[in-house]
Amino acid sequence: MTQAAPAPVPAVASDGKTLGIVALIVSFFISLLGIILGFIARGQSKKAGLKNGPATAAIVLGFIFLIISIIAIAISVAGASALLAQCGDLGPGVHDVSGVTVTCS
């Protein structure tokens, strides 16, 4: 006797809720990835005809954290370049500039 093969199970479309929560969590650590996942989750939810609050929050927070990161990097680079310029003017050694000790090597 031969048995009939089981019928294939149709793929269930994701509603994006779980991915929206993942995107929200990830956006706190890696903002750009959180933004991307948030847009994907929101697209899945839109196809399913649902709203996805966590995905929208992930997108908004991701952009906020990305802007804050860019500002922090710009300030760090500006500070480092100012310090290097000051060390270029002072030369190698330990210097006292306005009560602040600057060590240039």
Side-chain angles (χ1 to χ4, degrees):
M1 280 189 164
T2 59
Q3 289 183 332
V9 178
V12 177
S14 174
D15 64 355
K17 294 285 187 179
T18 303
L19 187 58
I21 294 169
V22 170
L24 182 59
I25 294 169
V26 168
S27 67
F28 283 98
F29 302 103
I30 307 170
S31 58
L32 187 59
L33 183 59
I35 293 168
I36 293 168
L37 292 176
F39 276 117
I40 292 170
R42 200 168 72 172
Q44 289 176 348
S45 294
K46 194 177 276 190
K47 283 182 185 176
L50 301 171
K51 293 191 182 231
N52 194 340
T56 304
I59 293 168
V60 171
L61 287 175
F63 276 118
I64 291 170
F65 292 146
L66 183 63
I67 290 168
I68 290 171
S69 297
I70 290 170
I71 291 171
I73 290 170
I75 290 171
S76 298
V77 168
S81 65
L83 180 62
L84 287 174
Q86 188 174 28
C87 280
D89 292 340
L90 296 174
V94 178
H95 308 282
D96 184 38
V97 179
S98 301
V100 178
T101 302
V102 179
T103 305
C104 301
S105 45

